[in-house]
């Protein structure tokens, strides 16, 4: 099994199945079609309905509920792996970390976190959220373990910032930190 296969299995394990939890920000854009008599489902195996609709359109709601491995892979590869230019990173461990950040927080935030981590490795870079050739080259110039550790520290800082006590995300902090610890154990180069 490749590291990408390991990452896909890891992500699916942590994401679970269908969700209609209202505390999740994805609940603002639920699937309009009921599933087994209930409404409000907005996420399936980590894929939000909003993301699903952007790739497959609005006539595939039953397919969203059934989401097979090929459809899940299409979302992952097309929107996230390719979105962060995963094939261009020398370290696939770093590439999957950046992909995971894009999966959870969007491409711009993932790029800002990557740029901050590169800066924290002692490499000067603007933190502008644009993933260009310079950002990829500077990421590739860093020692993979050092950059991975800097990404981990930045991701933890980000989680704590968006899930401060009293915020809507506070309920998710423990789970996010547990997943981050598992990430380190599983994928640190």
């Amino acid at each position: 099994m490749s590291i990408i296969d390991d990452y896909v299995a890891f992500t699916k394990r942590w994401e679970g199945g269908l969700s209609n939890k209202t505390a999740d920000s994805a609940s603002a854009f639920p699937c309009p079609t009921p599933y087994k008599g209930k409404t409000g489902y907005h996420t399936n195996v980590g894929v939000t309905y909003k993301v699903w609709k952007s790739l497959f359109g609005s006539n595939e709601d039953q397919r969203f509920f059934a989401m097979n491995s090929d459809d899940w892979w299409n979302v992952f590869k097309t929107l996230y792996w390719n979105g962060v230019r995963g094939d261009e990173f020398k370290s696939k461990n770093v590439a999957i970390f950046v992909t995971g950040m894009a999966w959870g927080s969007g491409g711009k935030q993932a790029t800002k976190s990557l740029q901050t981590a590169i800066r924290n490795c002692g490499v000067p870079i603007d933190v502008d959220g644009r993933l260009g050739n310079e950002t990829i080259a500077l990421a590739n110039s860093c020692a993979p373990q050092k950059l991975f550790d800097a990404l981990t520290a930045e991701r933890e800082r980000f989680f704590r910032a968006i899930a401060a006590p009293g915020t809507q995300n506070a309920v998710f902090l423990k789970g996010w930190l547990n997943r981050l610890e598992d990430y380190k154990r599983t994928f640190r180069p």
Side-chain angles (χ1 to χ4, degrees):
M1 221 158 128
S2 75
I3 193 168
I4 301 300
D5 294 328
D6 291 343
Y7 175 71
V8 169
F10 176 92
T11 302
K12 285 183 172 184
R13 185 176 74 246
W14 275 96
E15 290 294 350
L18 279 171
S19 175
N20 61 358
K21 294 178 182 172
T22 56
D24 190 329
S25 61
S27 68
F29 197 84
C31 179
T33 303
Y35 179 73
K36 294 186 177 181
K38 294 184 180 178
T39 59
Y41 288 102
H42 52 74
T43 305
N44 192 2
V45 197
V47 177
T48 66
Y49 182 70
K50 185 175 185 177
V51 165
W52 174 267
K53 188 176 170 183
S54 76
L55 195 60
F56 294 100
S58 59
N59 295 323
E60 297 290 343
D61 292 357
Q62 293 305 319
R63 191 171 159 195
F64 169 75
F65 294 131
M67 195 173 312
N68 65 38
S69 292
D70 289 339
D71 286 343
W72 190 93
W73 174 254
N74 190 13
V75 171
F76 168 79
K77 177 82 164 117
T78 303
L79 299 177
Y80 297 98
W81 181 262
N82 291 348
V84 300
R85 301 167 57 175
D87 290 328
E88 297 179 46
F89 288 90
K90 287 182 184 176
S91 168
K92 292 307 167 217
N93 300 70
V94 168
I96 61 173
F97 200 117
V98 176
T99 302
M101 291 189 302
W103 180 273
S105 303
K108 186 170 185 171
Q109 181 57 52
T111 301
K112 285 182 176 182
S113 294
L114 172 63
Q115 291 167 333
T116 299
I118 292 167
R119 183 183 282 174
N120 290 340
C121 287
V123 178
I125 186 172
D126 290 335
V127 178
D128 60 12
R130 289 180 287 172
L131 185 61
N133 294 334
E134 179 184 13
T135 298
I136 298 287
L138 292 175
N140 287 334
S141 75
C142 296
Q145 282 184 340
K146 187 175 182 178
L147 182 55
F148 191 93
D149 291 346
L151 285 165
T152 301
E154 177 55 22
R155 193 67 173 158
E156 181 174 344
R157 185 213 58 79
F158 175 76
F159 285 152
R160 291 187 184 282
I162 66 167
T167 65
Q168 179 181 355
N169 288 326
V171 67
F172 299 114
L173 182 60
K174 183 177 179 183
W176 290 343
L177 294 178
N178 287 340
R179 182 176 178 164
L180 185 59
E181 280 301 312
D182 194 10
Y183 222 92
K184 289 191 293 191
R185 283 190 303 273
T186 306
F187 296 110
R188 186 175 185 268

